[in-house]
Amino acid sequence: MNTEIDIEKPQTPGLIDPVCGMSVTVNSSHHYVYVDQDYYFCCAGCKDKFASDPEKYLGDSNDQEMADPKAWYICPMDPEVRQRGPGTCPKCGMALDPEAPSLDDEENPELIDFRRRFWWTLPLTTIVFVLAMFGHGRGWLPHGWQNWVELVLATPVVLWAGLPFFVRGFQSIVNRSPNMWTLIGLGTSFAYAYSVVATLVPGVFPESFIVGGRVGVYFEASAVIISLTLLGQLMELRARAQTSAAIRELLDLAPKVARRIKPDGSDEEVPIDDIKVGDSLRVTPGEKIPVDGVVEEGRSSVDESMLTGEPIPVTKQKGDKVITATLNTNGSLVIRSELVGADTTLSQIVKMVAQAQRSRAPMQRLADVVAGYFVVTVVSISIITFFTWGLIGPDPAWVYGMINAVAVLIIACPCALGLATPMSIMVATGKAARMGVLFKDAAAIEAMREIDTVVVDKTGTLTEGKPVFREARAYGDYTLDQVLEMAASLDQGSEHPLARAIVSAAREKNLTLKAVDEFDSSSGIGVSGRVSGRELLLGNTAFMRQGGADTSAVNREADDMRSNGASVIYLAIDCQIAGLLAVADPIKATSREAIEALHRRGLKLVMATGDGELTARAVAEQLNIDEVHSEVTPEAKMRLIETLQKNGAKVAMAGDGINDAPALAMADVGIAMGTGTDVAMSSSQITLVKGDLRGIEQARTVSEQTVSNMRQNLLFALLYNSIGVPVAAGVLFPIFGILLSPMIAALAMSLSSVSVVTNALRLRNQ
């Protein structure tokens, strides 16, 4: 059951930020007066938004979600948890993310708060640690002062810096969902409480616990755990903030203004938000299409690579559809808007990326799974120890009970358990980075080993993404060089990618390009002109037919060239076919080796591309790819991933373009080419820096080694606890008279951490 949990803030008039819904106080420095009413805000950004349009935010409170959906935050682990304003999830303790990201999102308030707590208390933690480890017997402090100095220094660390963790630990108990916060809260609070008692009333302890004239304290354990946990949270919050970068980059693609045509025929520049369905808009060369619409006047080539991933511009003329954020290259267009705002294709892609990111909850880490059972066991043992000693132990029975109960909690403190996963991840990510494989988070490392299907884009992933001249064929009395020279001469004024490839090939052969007269490229499917007094046509079959040139005699050869993955361009001189030119996007030199390596690992390879079927199948056959899907849209790619997942496959998606972003986000693991777009890399969990698909096999190997190492670390962490906890509870006392003091318990806790760190470092040499 997926029941939405809305956690409403108290609705005290004037003490609720009307923009984001967060609780504020009258002491807030962000204050605004409107219609004799005082309003307070959590930050300057909210104040400025309110000041620009107060009525937008002062409707009925039930309508506030519609007024500003960014006021709502959602848990990435439990998407059913939603609340007004930032905070933590009551179920898992994770910080909540904005539900509707935008370009003006400010830095996460929790990240700011944790950063302040960490840096302000780090010096105190350092001093306490140095005193505890090296200060005994060195005369640094007067006799009897050390415990008191450690108490004064550790108290702000534990009670202020660690407060959010105690709150999360308390929530985990109230919600009956024990996790790492439960262990951290119990371990640090009991170690601190024990140390406070030992400092304030040392006389309640037996003589055997007094060493060097004082009872041993564990302020440094509590302070160090709090500081390390804060550091880990800072790293996690920064990493999670980057996941929304993909959406912000997508939003930034859309133009901010549009050129609207007024009834009198003149143009006016207006904000994009003011455009309505049915408005006529003018788009000049070099401008982006502002909304989804249909061409009413003009003809131009439009670069739709942000949507399709294909580098070749598409001709647009009257009646053709155009899409938001695509680039108008060489002609002026008048379009009629059909979809605006949240209904545009770009907005839908943004929505798909956001939904895919939320639908893929982070993997429940092994340490959290273990902690859920471990914490209940440890707390139960501690309670049983306290009452058993108190009821049947020797005098002072209840003191022994308290000491042994605290020893159980200290030895069970989650240092090693908390290090088990992060240490392996840290070493593994460093090792992978040296291979040119960048993992965004631990979940990607854990998930990669389970992948059984890899979906790959073609252009820029399997291929170089840059069309190059492949070959020319000559007919009649013309030579190959003459065909290439004539075609390049005609194309030298064009910016089309295919034209650039032909011109580059001619210049590499040192052919002399001739001047062109009467050049015309208005059709978008070819170009024409006069070179050395001859009438030249250069373009596709339709353009030849339009110009009166018969291609039937060479169509078979053209099809053969297309079957090898090339785009074919006809050259006609004086209406007679003089040659064929093939331009293709070459397959990367490493793609074949990468595909073979993945097949050896038992993975299924699927290609999904916006290219035509003939070209797509030609590339797939050369690389021995198992399954091909051609002419697919960004949404179709995402749905393909979804279908494979519903059929039980664990899917990785490899791509490099903006069009791949929804599929990269939907996949169990998204893999971006480092040579591709920033949006693709932001949407993915793994980036292959060199754009080399062989990195996928390397990433899988690192994943398998890392998960194995994490399991070993957990075993080390629990081994010490399984031995130390019973001894700390006093099970050996009746037979051998052995008690495990909290000091020895702390030593055992440290040894388990050393074992975990040492084992994790082995990953570097595997």
Side-chain angles (χ1 to χ4, degrees), residues 511-647:
L511 299 179
T512 302
L513 303 188
K514 298 178 172 59
V516 182
D517 297 321
E518 301 177 17
F519 178 82
D520 182 18
S521 64
S522 60
S523 68
I525 55 176
V527 293
S528 62
R530 295 180 64 86
V531 176
S532 300
R534 314 291 294 274
E535 293 285 348
L536 268 59
L537 300 175
L538 185 68
N540 63 14
T541 308
F543 186 65
M544 294 296 111
R545 187 181 305 114
Q546 179 180 308
D550 183 10
T551 64
S552 58
V554 297
N555 280 343
R556 182 183 296 276
E557 292 187 62
D559 287 341
D560 288 340
M561 297 166 80
R562 292 189 186 100
S563 66
N564 290 321
S567 296
V568 177
I569 304 168
Y570 296 84
L571 173 67
I573 301 178
D574 294 332
C575 287
Q576 299 295 317
I577 297 297
L580 297 177
L581 300 102
V583 177
D585 185 5
I587 294 173
K588 291 181 180 179
T590 58
S591 291
R592 189 183 307 278
E593 181 183 344
I595 299 300
E596 290 174 353
L598 294 174
H599 275 144
R600 286 195 299 269
R601 298 294 292 266
L603 274 66
K604 176 182 178 181
L605 274 297
V606 179
M607 185 171 76
T609 176
D611 260 0
E613 183 176 359
L614 196 60
T615 302
R617 291 201 173 277
V619 173
E621 288 174 5
Q622 292 181 58
L623 295 175
N624 193 28
I625 290 176
D626 303 307
E627 186 177 313
V628 180
H629 296 266
S630 57
E631 300 179 1
V632 293
T633 63
E635 183 175 4
K637 283 187 181 181
M638 192 183 80
R639 299 307 170 205
L640 171 62
I641 301 289
E642 204 171 30
T643 300
L644 290 169
Q645 290 171 330
K646 287 179 179 178
N647 291 334

Side-chain angles (χ1 to χ4, degrees), residues 2 50 84 90 111 174 188 234 252 309 353 364 367 376 460 474 514 535 567 639 673:
N2 190 25
F50 180 87
R84 290 282 180 85
L111 176 58
V174 171
T188 54
L234 286 175
D252 199 36
V353 173
Q364 185 68 32
V376 176
K514 298 178 172 59
E535 293 285 348
S567 296
R639 299 307 170 205
M673 301 296 105

Side-chain angles (χ1 to χ4, degrees), residues 94 122 125 181 211 280 353 357 373 401 419 456 494 518 526 536 543 562 608 613 630 643 693 719 727 745 747:
M94 291 187 72
L122 182 61
T125 298
W181 301 116
V211 179
S280 291
V353 173
Q357 287 180 339
Y373 298 99
L419 286 171
V456 292
S494 174
E518 301 177 17
L536 268 59
F543 186 65
R562 292 189 186 100
E613 183 176 359
S630 57
T643 300
L693 282 177
L719 179 63
V727 176
L747 177 61

Side-chain angles (χ1 to χ4, degrees), residues 305-306 308-311 455-466 585 588 608 637 653-661 664 671-682 684 688 691 693:
S305 59
M306 60 77 57
T308 65
E310 303 308 319
V455 178
V456 292
D457 178 43
K458 181 185 78 68
T459 304
T461 304
L462 294 169
T463 66
E464 297 289 351
K466 298 177 181 178
D585 185 5
K588 291 181 180 179
K637 283 187 181 181
M653 167 69 193
D656 76 319
I658 293 169
N659 60 301
D660 299 318
L664 287 167
I671 304 172
M673 301 296 105
T675 52
T677 65
D678 291 340
V679 173
M681 287 184 275
S682 297
S684 63
L688 306 182
L693 282 177

Side-chain angles (χ1 to χ4, degrees), residues 218-496:
Y218 306 96
F219 291 117
E220 83 285 352
S222 296
V224 168
I225 291 170
I226 293 296
S227 291
L228 288 176
T229 305
L230 276 171
L231 178 61
Q233 286 299 290
L234 286 175
M235 295 173 67
E236 178 184 326
L237 287 168
R238 285 189 185 126
R240 284 171 50 195
Q242 294 173 0
T243 63
S244 61
I247 297 176
R248 287 195 297 271
E249 287 165 7
L250 284 169
L251 290 169
D252 199 36
L253 289 172
K256 307 301 182 290
V257 296
R259 200 187 307 272
R260 185 166 59 190
I261 301 176
K262 296 193 291 187
D264 62 5
S266 62
D267 296 350
E268 61 174 342
E269 194 171 86
V270 297
I272 198 69
D273 292 339
D274 291 347
I275 300 300
K276 303 292 189 297
V277 174
D279 284 351
S280 291
L281 309 173
R282 192 183 309 280
V283 187
T284 58
E287 290 184 341
K288 290 182 178 180
I289 306 295
V291 295
D292 288 11
V294 62
V295 177
E296 291 186 318
E297 297 178 19
R299 186 192 300 268
S300 180
S301 294
V302 176
D303 181 356
E304 295 185 336
S305 59
M306 60 77 57
L307 179 70
T308 65
E310 303 308 319
I312 300 173
V314 179
T315 301
K316 299 292 182 180
Q317 51 191 339
K318 185 174 182 179
D320 289 338
K321 301 283 187 180
V322 289
I323 300 171
T324 308
T326 54
L327 181 65
N328 181 29
T329 61
N330 58 12
S332 183
L333 296 174
V334 174
I335 66 171
R336 184 181 70 255
S337 62
E338 293 188 329
L339 297 174
V340 299
D343 296 327
T344 65
T345 301
L346 180 62
S347 295
Q348 293 303 309
I349 291 177
V350 169
K351 183 178 179 181
M352 285 189 289
V353 173
Q355 287 178 341
Q357 287 180 339
R358 286 199 296 267
S359 67
R360 188 189 60 255
M363 180 181 292
Q364 185 68 32
R365 299 185 178 183
L366 295 174
D368 288 332
V369 174
V370 173
Y373 298 99
F374 179 66
V375 65
V376 176
T377 304
V378 169
V379 172
S380 300
I381 293 174
S382 181
I383 294 172
I384 292 171
T385 299
F386 177 73
F387 283 104
T388 300
W389 276 93
L391 294 174
I392 64 175
D395 289 332
W398 291 105
V399 172
Y400 276 120
M402 182 191 71
I403 293 170
N404 290 332
V406 170
V408 168
L409 290 171
I410 289 177
I411 201 168
C413 198
C415 282
L417 195 59
L419 286 171
T421 298
M423 275 304 302
S424 298
I425 295 299
M426 183 175 67
V427 176
T429 51
K431 175 182 178 179
R434 290 193 295 272
M435 301 176 179
V437 179
L438 302 182
F439 286 98
K440 180 176 288 186
D441 51 38
I445 298 180
E446 293 175 340
M448 190 63 200
R449 59 187 281 274
E450 298 180 351
I451 295 300
D452 54 35
T453 303
V454 179
V455 178
V456 292
D457 178 43
K458 181 185 78 68
T459 304
T461 304
L462 294 169
T463 66
E464 297 289 351
K466 298 177 181 178
V468 296
F469 175 77
R470 177 180 287 179
E471 65 172 314
R473 297 187 184 181
Y475 303 96
D477 296 329
Y478 299 100
T479 66
L480 293 178
D481 282 354
Q482 286 176 321
V483 168
L484 181 57
E485 180 184 279
M486 287 290 194
S489 296
L490 193 56
D491 264 341
Q492 61 186 312
S494 174
E495 290 300 318
H496 196 288

